[in-house]
Amino acid sequence: MSETPRGDRVVLVTGAAGGMGAGHARALAAAGWSVALADVADCTPVVEEIRAAGGVAEGHRLDVTEPAAWASVVARLHSTYGALHGLVNNAGISRRLRFLDTTHDVWRQVMAINVDGPFYGIQACAPLMRESGGGSIVNISSIAGQIGYFSPSYSTSKWALRGLTKSAAGELADWGIRVNSVHPGLVETPLLAGSDGFVDSAVASIPFGRMGRPAEITEVVAFLLGDGASYMTGAELTVDGGLVSNGTYHRILTEMEGEL
Ligand code: NAD
């Protein structure tokens, strides 16, 4: 068991108390990163699990919509490790409400967490990354940020995150900081809890015929954080079993089985 701070490869993962963020944190720690887990929820169980497995991890209470909270997390990372090399802007919420059912409060809440959060995070983390010799920022968007999606708050927020990625990539290139976005399709996590009918119908449009596994998103996040992606910035990686590229005709051909 190791709890020694190691400042050579430090990554901050938001929304790490559960779902895909916890999976990213576990895998990155297993790969040798010192992982700072941040969430409005308690990250302690995941932190303890990582430490028990011999990894280096620490938990932070962070509401990503609060710039002052970001500043204090970054200050703690500075004093613990003296460095930061990776940021995974993973925290996000989805409100599957249709256009006219989306209230002002829902709209503002989704925008605050899914767009303001990563913006404040990049602003807070970039200077320490620069001091650390550069780094990699991975923004978790969605295929809802690449196509039209019925929930205006979720879709608009994920398109905005895609735009924020491109903007930050240009601005931070001089500091050796790469910024890319990941666009998962449907992935089996609590985010989709209670939407069985929606999921069953959506799977019919996925050429791979199944939802994604969280670990399949983690692999792409780890790749973007690592040196293998050293020439990638401003890019977007779609990880969706073919839904965006081929979903429409997959469904059409399935429905027309035998008629072509
Ligand atoms: P999840 O709901 O399982 O986990 C999200 C985490 O974010 C939770 O631990 C929650 O406490 C945390 N969080 C919420 N508000 C926060 C705040 N204000 N500050 C800090 N943390 C906060 O979700 P997930 O399915 O693991 O999704 C992770 C990311 O992947 C999200 O950005 C989501 O939009 C995106 N995504 C998910 C899917 C999917 O099918 N599950 C598909 C595409 C994109």
Side-chain angles (χ1 to χ4, degrees), residues 148-172:
Y149 177 72
F150 68 89
S151 162
S153 58
Y154 192 69
S155 196
T156 305
S157 72
K158 293 302 188 180
W159 275 84
L161 186 52
R162 184 180 174 200
L164 180 69
T165 303
K166 312 279 189 229
S167 170
E171 279 292 288
L172 301 178

Side-chain angles (χ1 to χ4, degrees), residues 72-163:
S72 83
V73 169
V74 171
R76 276 176 55 198
L77 292 177
H78 191 267
S79 64
T80 307
Y81 301 106
L84 180 64
H85 308 95
L87 167 66
V88 183
N89 277 313
N90 165 79
I93 60 167
S94 170
R95 295 288 177 261
R96 272 180 296 279
L97 292 167
R98 302 190 71 164
F99 218 99
L100 296 182
D101 298 324
T102 299
T103 61
H104 170 82
D105 288 350
V106 166
W107 175 265
R108 290 275 18 115
Q109 186 195 23
V110 174
M111 290 300 157
I113 295 172
N114 294 4
V115 186
D116 300 2
F119 171 66
Y120 296 141
I122 295 170
Q123 274 196 331
C125 292
L128 181 54
M129 284 187 167
R130 178 194 199 186
E131 259 184 55
S132 312
S136 171
I137 297 172
V138 180
N139 292 326
I140 308 297
S141 178
S142 164
I143 56 168
Q146 297 181 305
I147 55 176
Y149 177 72
F150 68 89
S151 162
S153 58
Y154 192 69
S155 196
T156 305
S157 72
K158 293 302 188 180
W159 275 84
L161 186 52
R162 184 180 174 200

Side-chain angles (χ1 to χ4, degrees), residues 14-22 24 38-42 62-65 89-94 112-114 140-144 154 158 161 182-192 211 217:
T14 68
M20 280 193 268
H24 301 335
D39 205 299
V40 277
D42 187 7
L62 171 73
D63 180 341
V64 296
T65 68
N89 277 313
N90 165 79
I93 60 167
S94 170
I113 295 172
N114 294 4
I140 308 297
S141 178
S142 164
I143 56 168
Y154 192 69
K158 293 302 188 180
L161 186 52
V182 174
H183 300 259
L186 281 139
V187 185
E188 288 179 73
T189 75
L191 192 95
L192 293 177
M211 287 203 277
I217 310 304

